[in-house]
Each structure stands twice: as structure tokens, then as C-alpha cells.
Amino acid sequence: MIPALLLLAALLGAPLYAVIAAGALIGFAQAGYDLQIVTIEIFRLAETPVLVAIPLFTFAGYLLSESGAPQRLVRLTEAWLGWLPGGLPIVALVTCAFFTAFTGASGITIVAIGALLLPALVEDGYRERFSLGLVTTSGSLGLLFAPSLPLILYGVVAQQMGIGGPVGIDDLFLAGVLPGLLMVAVLSTYAAFQSRGRSVEPQPFSWGKAVAATRAALPELPLPIVVLGGIYSGLLAVSEAAAVTAAYVVLVTVVINREIKLRELPRLVRESMALVGAILVILGVSLASTNFAIDAGIPGQILDWTTSWVDSKALFIAVLIVLLLFLGMLLDIFSATVIVVPIILPIAVQYGIDPVHLGILFLAAMQLGYFTPPVGMNLFIAAFRFDRSIVDLVIATIPFFLLLLGCVLLIGYWEGLSLVLLDR
Amino acid sequence: MELKRAAAWSARAAGWLEAGVLSLLLLCLLVLGCTQVVLRNVFDSSLLWADPVLRASVLWIGLLGAVAAARDARHIRVDLVKRWLGGWPRAVIEAFTAGFAAAVAGVIAWHGGRMVLDELAYATPGDFLPAWVLQLVIPISFGLMALLHAGHAVLNLVRGRDS
């Protein structure tokens, strides 16, 4: 009865943090606990050092998207990759992937970069349906690359569980590289095929353009090196890399390029921290609900139930992918991570799945949810931004969906793709 | 009219206040984080109190950011109704869900307040500040969120009646 009512509240649009908190409060109350236990769990947000990275990376991403960085990034990739067959779509894919990694996959990519690229693609002779599908799909493409927020959040949740071996955030950052590149490569190949028979020839490569674009983007170019180099060299912890990144982005956007005025900063801080707050409050209350679920033995029951009819790892992965695609349609990636990972992680470990591999598979599958009808968030953002109907966008994204689904299956069944860069 | 203007003014002032406090906290994260990097890599030392301050700032930023999200009605939710319904049915449902959120946030604020008082009575020494000072953000933020959700609910009821 109560779970059904909570589900109804969630479907009617109650804030998910309130729904999760209500579940924990009611559960603990029925079990006779003092409800202070819920606030004590929320307070555990202050005991998780790596969370420091989330506000800092989010702020850096917000500043970048408000500055001229998206235009410069497009120009840079176009100058270096525009001569390839399917050059411009590849530019779109690479740029969006890079940008999404930094802005945490919150739909900003479509607004900031998709809007620049859609008219250019159509002008370049690509069919409109293909172009529309491409920019909508690209909006969630960089999710598997460091330092994307969903990767960090998965690491935090998995660390809290503490089963099936260590799940370092830096491990996840490495594990996402090849699967992420696979997705970019598959879509790029598709784009190259699409470019055959269109009216405009690819632009020849020009050193002059390449140098000019590189010079314009010079202040921003060290960013990936700071983040990835800093973390993988062991020089910086993830949270430290976030602090350095944020400081560096403030320096570039406010002091060097002067594209953002100092007095605009408080507004941008408030906007970006509202997003961080929306994520962290869900994480906080889910610490309580997870604790209750474990106390009530729910993961064990689900595990028993699953093992009773899923008798192999291969079958489990198939079931998991179907389940994740379904969840991805309904839930955003952050809520899904804090609600679903505590349930599936213990089960996956039982089937011999590495927690890091599970994280990559989980995020890759959830990435599809961003543009799975009927409620994929990016469908709506794109519909709003490009003034098209949802049905148009759904049709436009179908080929991309099928291709990425193939990637998700490959990622799921080929563990090495995620784990080969790790020393395991 | 006078009342409406006063309400608009106070909402704007609250927005500024949130922006100011959040900016200070984020600045604290940024400066302390970078200081730690330099101290550790260059001088091979560190500020012992910096780590607990950083972690506490994240809690404060997260929960006060959640207050800002409540004011802007930007909390993460399943957005089916908003897209498929309009007019008074939508207003009624919005009022119901906001009222539900207000009640839940209110209960958390209440128990958060109890936690702070208990902590005050037993006074566990914290890492750098007494724990109750850090915990104070829980009743404050959830209390404010309860008020904002409740205001949102009332606003939608009025809107539903008018439409």
C-alpha cells in the first residue's frame, strides 16, 4: 500500500528526494526506530571526502558553458577534423563528448553546442533528420569520460556499499575511456557513411585555420591535461583536481578572456549549486533509505529471487540491460544511481561482475535513457531548443539509439573493454 | 499590490542572500582545495583542519543549494504531468506534490532540530567545530525547503482556483 502511494507521488511529479525520504521515514518508523536516524544518515554527506569534487567540477562546467568556450571548441575540432569524410558530424560528436564530460550531462551540451552545430550541419548538406538525431544523441555522449558527475556519483555510492572490491573514482575514470571511445567511434563511422552523396564536399585541411583555432583556444587547452594528467600521475586526488580545475576556469573566463564579469559570478554560483544541491540532497536521503533497505533485508530478498530464475552471468547481464533501459526512460541518471546501484551492485557481484565494469555498463545503458521515449530528458530539451515536435526527435534518434544499444551490449559482455586499462 | 511587491522584493533578496552565502562557501572550497595541493606537493605539508572544513562545506553547499533549488522549483523529479497536463488539473497535482514535499521536509527539519539539541546536550567534540554547529544546516535547510514547498503549494491552489 505505502510503496504504491509513494510510487504514485513520484509519478505525479513530487520531488524525488521527498519520495525517497518519505520511504525511509515510514520504513524506520514502522520498524520502531527513532527517526533521527534519517538526519544522522544525511549528515554522513559531510564524511565523504570525494564529494568535494562535485560542486567544483559543476561550477567549472557552468562557467565554461557561459563563456565563449563552446564556440572555440567547435572551431578547434572543425579545423583539425573537418577534412575527414563526415567531418562536421564527427566534430559534433567529439566536441559534445568532451563538453558533456565537463558539464556533467545535464542537458547543457544540447543548448550550448547543439544549437551551434545544427544549422552548420544542415548547411553542409546533411539531411535534417540525421542532423537533429545527431545533436540530440550527442548531448549525453561524454558521460563515460572523466570528470563526468555521473561517474563520480557512481563511485561514491559504490564506495559506500564497500563490496566486491575497491571502486576508486580514478579507476572509473580509466575504465570509461575505451567504452566511451567505442561509442564515439561507432557514431563517427555511421556519420561518415551518411556523408556519401551529399551536395557539399568536405573542406580541405588548412594549417592556417588550424593554427588560428588552436591559438584562440590556447587558454582552455590545458584543462584536460590538468584534470586527467593530474589524477593519473598521482599528483592530484580527484577532489584536488576539481579545485585546481575550478580555479583555472575562473582564471581563464574571468581574468584572461574576460567573457564573464566578476559580478555575474554569484548568480552563476547559485544556479550551479542549485543543481549540486538537487543531486546531493537525493544522495543524502538515499543513504538513509539504503540503510533501511539493508536493515530490512531487501537486497538479500531480491538477490534470492533473482538467483532463483537467472542461472548464468550472461542471462543476468541481458536482464540487467533491459531493466536499465526501462529505468533510464523514467529516472534521471542521478536518482537512478543512488536508488538502483545499492540494489544491483550486491547481485552483480554474486554473478562475478566487477563493480567497476558494472559502473561503466550502468552508465552506458542509462545514457541511452536520455533520449529514450517517452520521457528522455534530452528529447525535451532538444524539442524546446530546436522548436520541433517530440515525435520528430524520436524518429530522428532511432538509428543512433540502435547503434548505441549495440555498444551497450558489447560493453556489457566484453568486460575487458572496461577493465583492460586497470591493473586487475 | 503593495503585498505583491513586498513578496517579489523579499524573494529577490532571498535569492541574493543564497547567492552570497553559496559563493562564500564555494570560494572556501576553492581556496582551501588549491592551498592543500600546493602545500602537499611543494612544501610536503598540509593544514590538518582543512580536510574537515572542506567536507563540512560540501554538506552546507549541498543543502543550501537544495534550498535554492526548492525556490526555483528545480528539484529532480519525474516530469510527466507537467508535459501532458495543463490548467487546473495540473495546478491541483502540483499543489499536492509540493504539499507532500513540504510535509516530508518539515519532518526531516524537526528531527534534524532534535539531533542538534541532543548533540548540544552531549557535546561530542568535532574535528574543528562542535558537531552541532555543522548539523545546524539540516534543520535550517529542510525547514526553509518545507516553507518554500508549502508556498509553492499555496500558489498553485490559488492558480488552480483562478483558472
Side-chain angles (χ1 to χ4, degrees):
Chain A
M1 180 64 186
I2 287 168
L5 284 178
L6 289 178
L7 188 65
L8 180 71
L11 289 177
L12 286 178
L16 285 172
Y17 90 85
V19 177
I20 299 168
L25 287 167
I26 295 169
F28 276 123
Q30 281 177 341
Y33 283 88
D34 182 338
L35 292 183
Q36 264 192 53
I37 191 167
V38 173
T39 55
I40 291 168
E41 290 290 330
I42 295 171
F43 191 63
R44 273 174 55 205
L45 285 178
E47 290 164 12
T48 314
V50 71
L51 284 183
V52 175
I54 291 183
L56 290 166
F57 275 133
T58 309
F59 179 59
Y62 252 76
L63 281 189
L64 281 178
S65 66
E66 290 271 323
S67 74
Q71 285 90 334
R72 280 191 294 276
L73 190 55
V74 171
R75 215 180 125 202
L76 180 73
T77 355
E78 198 179 358
W80 287 101
L81 301 177
W83 55 274
L84 292 165
L88 197 59
I90 294 173
V91 168
L93 291 165
V94 172
T95 322
C96 287
F98 179 83
F99 204 69
T100 303
F102 264 87
T103 53
S106 47
I108 293 177
T109 308
I110 293 180
V111 177
I113 295 187
L116 287 174
L117 286 168
L118 183 65
L121 283 163
V122 175
E123 200 174 296
D124 223 25
Y126 289 95
R127 282 183 303 131
E128 189 180 32
R129 183 184 285 173
F130 166 80
S131 311
L132 212 51
L134 182 83
V135 289
T136 309
T137 311
S138 308
S140 56
L141 194 60
L143 236 142
L144 294 179
F145 294 128
S148 90
L149 284 189
L151 268 179
I152 298 177
L153 195 64
Y154 175 85
V156 170
V157 173
Q159 282 171 4
Q160 296 280 347
M161 306 285 300
I163 46 174
V167 188
I169 309 277
D170 42 352
D171 290 339
L172 286 165
F173 281 3
L174 265 183
V177 172
L178 293 181
L181 286 177
L182 171 75
M183 288 183 156
V184 175
V186 166
L187 292 186
S188 297
T189 314
Y190 174 60
F193 273 102
Q194 282 292 315
S195 74
R196 289 184 316 177
R198 86 199 145 92
S199 50
V200 183
E201 284 299 300
Q203 306 247 332
F205 180 77
S206 137
W207 274 108
K209 257 169 97 181
V211 169
T214 308
R215 187 173 295 157
L218 210 54
E220 280 123 351
L221 278 180
L223 265 179
I225 302 167
V226 170
V227 177
L228 302 176
I231 292 171
Y232 295 134
S233 67
L235 218 56
L236 300 174
V238 173
S239 57
E240 294 173 337
V244 174
T245 304
Y248 186 80
V249 169
V250 170
L251 181 76
V252 170
T253 56
V254 179
V255 181
I256 297 179
N257 287 339
R258 295 196 192 175
E259 288 170 333
I260 291 173
K261 296 193 182 71
L262 202 57
R263 63 183 155 82
E264 287 179 89
L265 281 182
R267 175 181 66 83
L268 291 172
V269 170
R270 185 180 177 281
E271 260 177 48
S272 52
M273 292 309 110
L275 173 66
V276 169
I279 297 170
L280 287 188
V281 79
I282 286 187
L283 177 63
V285 296
S286 76
L287 292 174
S289 68
T290 302
N291 194 338
F292 168 73
I294 291 171
D295 194 68
I298 291 170
Q301 288 167 18
I302 297 179
L303 176 63
D304 289 344
W305 179 75
T306 316
T307 44
S308 71
W309 63 278
V310 177
D311 54 4
S312 72
K313 184 173 168 180
L315 181 60
F316 174 74
I317 291 176
V319 173
L320 184 64
I321 290 173
V322 173
L323 176 79
L324 292 178
L325 289 178
F326 176 72
L327 279 169
M329 290 184 332
L330 286 179
L331 285 175
D332 72 284
I333 201 160
F334 302 113
S335 316
T337 305
V338 299
I339 299 170
V340 179
V341 170
I343 297 172
I344 59 170
L345 181 61
I347 304 176
V349 168
Q350 283 292 321
Y351 283 97
I353 296 173
D354 189 293
V356 172
H357 175 218
L358 177 72
I360 301 304
L361 172 60
F362 174 82
L363 294 174
M366 292 301 294
Q367 181 192 326
L368 287 182
Y370 270 89
F371 53 93
T372 310
V375 291
M377 180 176 75
N378 281 0
L379 288 176
F380 288 88
I381 294 175
F384 179 74
R385 187 66 189 74
F386 305 128
D387 203 17
R388 298 291 198 294
S389 80
I390 296 287
V391 180
D392 284 349
L393 285 160
V394 170
I395 294 170
T397 47
I398 287 173
F400 296 92
F401 182 86
L402 293 176
L403 286 170
L404 287 183
L405 183 62
C407 293
V408 169
L409 288 172
L410 199 59
I411 291 168
Y413 284 100
W414 184 12
E415 189 180 56
L417 190 66
S418 306
L419 300 182
V420 70
L421 293 180
L422 276 63
D423 298 323
R424 304 200 165 192
Chain B
M1 209 61 235
E2 206 48 32
L3 198 71
K4 228 174 195 171
R5 205 156 21 161
W9 185 86
S10 60
R12 230 180 13 243
W16 284 331
L17 189 66
E18 284 158 13
V21 175
L22 286 169
S23 299
L24 280 180
L25 286 167
L26 192 69
L27 189 69
C28 160
L29 277 193
L30 221 158
V31 171
L32 268 185
C34 291
T35 312
Q36 287 286 70
V37 174
V38 174
L39 283 179
R40 194 165 55 83
N41 286 305
V42 182
F43 300 102
D44 208 13
S45 73
S46 73
L47 302 170
L48 279 179
W49 51 269
D51 207 45
V53 173
L54 283 173
R55 283 185 281 124
S57 307
V58 171
L59 176 75
W60 279 70
I61 284 187
L63 292 183
L64 293 178
V67 174
R71 185 182 308 285
D72 302 350
R74 274 179 63 197
H75 271 289
I76 296 174
R77 54 197 206 142
V78 179
D79 249 352
L80 285 172
V81 172
K82 210 158 81 183
R83 281 165 189 159
W84 307 116
L85 277 184
W88 69 264
R90 173 173 156 183
V92 169
I93 289 176
E94 289 249 2
F96 164 73
T97 53
F100 168 79
V104 174
V107 172
I108 296 176
W110 169 257
H111 290 289
R114 284 181 52 229
M115 174 174 71
V116 171
L117 290 179
D118 280 4
E119 194 66 42
L120 200 60
Y122 298 109
T124 351
D127 287 325
F128 70 106
L129 272 175
W132 67 268
V133 178
L134 301 181
Q135 292 172 349
L136 210 50
V137 73
I138 292 178
I140 291 175
S141 60
F142 280 94
L144 287 172
M145 277 192 269
L147 289 176
L148 289 165
H149 288 313
H152 195 68
V154 172
L155 212 66
N156 272 292
L157 281 181
V158 173
R159 205 174 287 157
R161 195 196 57 195
D162 290 351
S163 67

